Amino acid sequence: MISDAPVLQQSSEPAENAVAPSRLSRYARPALGLLLPLTLALGWELVVWSGWSNGRLVPPPSRVFATITELARSGELVRHISATLWRVGLGFGFGVVAGTLLGAISGYWSLARRLLDPTVQALRAIPSLAWVPLFILWLGIFETSKIALIAVGVFFPVYLGVMGAILSVDRKIVEVGRTFRLSGFAMIRRILLPAVLPAYVVSLRVGLGLGWMFVVAAELIGASEGLGYLLLDGQQLGKPAQILAAIVIFAILGKLTDWLIELAAAPFLRWQDAFGRAKET
Amino acid sequence: MLALDRVSKTYPNGVEALTRFSAEIRQGEIIAIIGGSGCGKSTLLRAIAGLDRASSGTVTLDGEAIASPHAKIGIIFQEPRLLPWLSVADNIGFGLAELPAAERRAKVARALDRVGLADKAQAWPRELSGGQAQRVAIARALVPQPEVLLLDEPFSALDAFTRRDLQDHLLDLWADTRPTLILVTHDVDEAVVLADRVLVMRPRPGRLFDQIEINLGRPRDRNSPLFETFKRSVLASLDRSLDRRVPDRDATQGPGQAMWW
Ligand SMILES: Nc1ncnc2c1ncn2[C@@H]1O[C@H](COP(=O)(O)OP(=O)(O)O)[C@@H](O)[C@H]1O
Ligand SMILES: [Mg+2]
């Protein structure tokens, strides 16, 4: 019955919104988005509760929630979550560092771009999962190959994002830097970095999304812990509630980490924010 | 003094944008450069600013050859080109990075006051109107106190009313430190209101065609008959510059070259 409280809040909201139209846009829009999933969840809960379905293949929300609490109580949940987070964190870190460095080099020096970019683009054309057998052969079936796979997934969007952002920096603004005789380093720090930051943040978020995708792939292939392992375990032992629990946790963690990036970048993108808000009103 | 000696520019694609442009410009003089589109006005300004290298000829400021951007030369473009991630105050202080923070803040505050935007100090450039943004650009260029300020059609994107306002404002700011102003424009009114001397250029290839001294006191009355006379003579010269049948008068060539034929 976890879904009751939000639904009740929901139904009371339209009345308030009618009074304050400015608050309507702020709260009603996300609330509207929640309406469908919450209704479905509650509906399914009622269907199973009233006995119309046994809910064995599609467990109701309460049973998924019970599975999560069960896992949490036994300490399993923390173990699986930390294993997955650790892999995503490391893979994301390596992917971001490599993608940023190579992307910046390719974007900044056209000679490096001509040397490097064709190879990177060719590698990008390979579906990343095709690397799995090779990584396992090279790096073993334990952590290293998993982290390498995640890093590969993160690398490409970051590389492309950084290179594209540098290439599309407005030449007219660079000229302003030139008229004030900025040195190469000052030009990077005072003009290029702030100019590419918005696109960089986007590429980080895309990269993180791919990181989460690839951690599932890596953990499905062979792991003894992690959320992906929970998925596989749930399938092999016929525990759909456990699969759904893992999926829900993936969703929460994915959203949460994405939000962390947004939050960390927000102070540096206030100038853009102001623009977005001005346009909405 | 700013000396331009036979400045020529041929772009890599073979376009002869500017040929043998010579002029001597006194410190504190206000020059307007006027001419049809594509006659090399921007090319000339960029060569003076050191943003582009002339193919031949030299630009010298107080005896120093200019080949790259120089601290004594500022430039204002047609677009304000403010840095969107800096507040208005930080945009104005952009060229003062070497100064101690306190001194920089004081200069920026004075400049903000001077262009009438003290209340916008913490605004983002996106929140400014076109005229306000261009005033910030003017303040940004003037605050390091250049000896020469180049302006490439700085007011042409603005409506007529704002344009007049900014022209008066520019003169007002100019009077503070009296830098040399070189202003590219296609507005005859603007040229006559601002300039001590109007240089008329003609296209294909871009070159100097005529010079007209504007012997009018300041402040100038846009409605006086004398103002009209000067306007008409600039217009007439502009018309002749665009007429292919009129030969170059070539005020810039020395007598030796004239005698050659
Ligand atoms: N970067 C460039 N490369 C090639 N040709 C150019 C370039 N910039 C300007 N030109 C050409 O040089 C000529 C003069 O241009 P410009 O100085 O911009 O004229 P104006 O500012 O007087 O309108 C034009 O014919 C233009 O097409
Ligand atoms: Mg031009």
Side-chain angles (χ1 to χ4, degrees), chain A residues 175 178 181 190 194 271 275, chain B residues 46 51 69 71 81 84-85 94:
Chain A
E175 222 160 50
R178 285 185 61 209
R181 291 162 297 117
R190 300 183 67 194
W271 55 276
F275 179 53
Chain B
R46 294 177 61 84
L51 287 172
R81 300 198 186 181
W85 53 85
F94 189 77

Side-chain angles (χ1 to χ4, degrees), chain A residues 171-182 189-196 268 270-272 274-276 278, chain B residues 46 50-52 69-71 73 75 77 79-86 93-95 97 124 126-127 140-141 144:
Chain A
R171 202 182 48 80
K172 291 179 168 176
I173 289 223
V174 175
E175 222 160 50
V176 171
R178 285 185 61 209
T179 61
F180 285 105
R181 291 162 297 117
L182 297 190
R189 188 174 63 83
R190 300 183 67 194
I191 304 272
L192 290 182
L193 276 186
V196 303
F268 304 102
R270 270 189 6 249
W271 55 276
Q272 246 204 345
F275 179 53
Chain B
R46 294 177 61 84
L51 287 172
D52 286 333
H70 194 283
I73 303 178
I75 184 164
F77 302 95
E79 330 79 33
R81 300 198 186 181
L82 303 181
L83 305 175
W85 53 85
L86 294 182
F94 189 77
W124 298 114
R126 297 204 193 272
E127 296 160 359
R140 177 177 66 184

Side-chain angles (χ1 to χ4, degrees), chain A residues 171, chain B residues 9-18 33-46 52 152-153 184 201 203-204 206:
Chain A
R171 202 182 48 80
Chain B
K9 175 78 184 181
T10 306
Y11 282 107
N13 62 3
V15 174
E16 238 185 317
L18 193 65
I33 297 177
I34 201 163
S37 162
C39 66
K41 305 183 295 291
S42 297
T43 304
L44 176 68
L45 231 53
R46 294 177 61 84
D52 286 333
D152 194 351
E153 306 193 13
V184 167
M201 291 180 68
R204 282 175 298 272

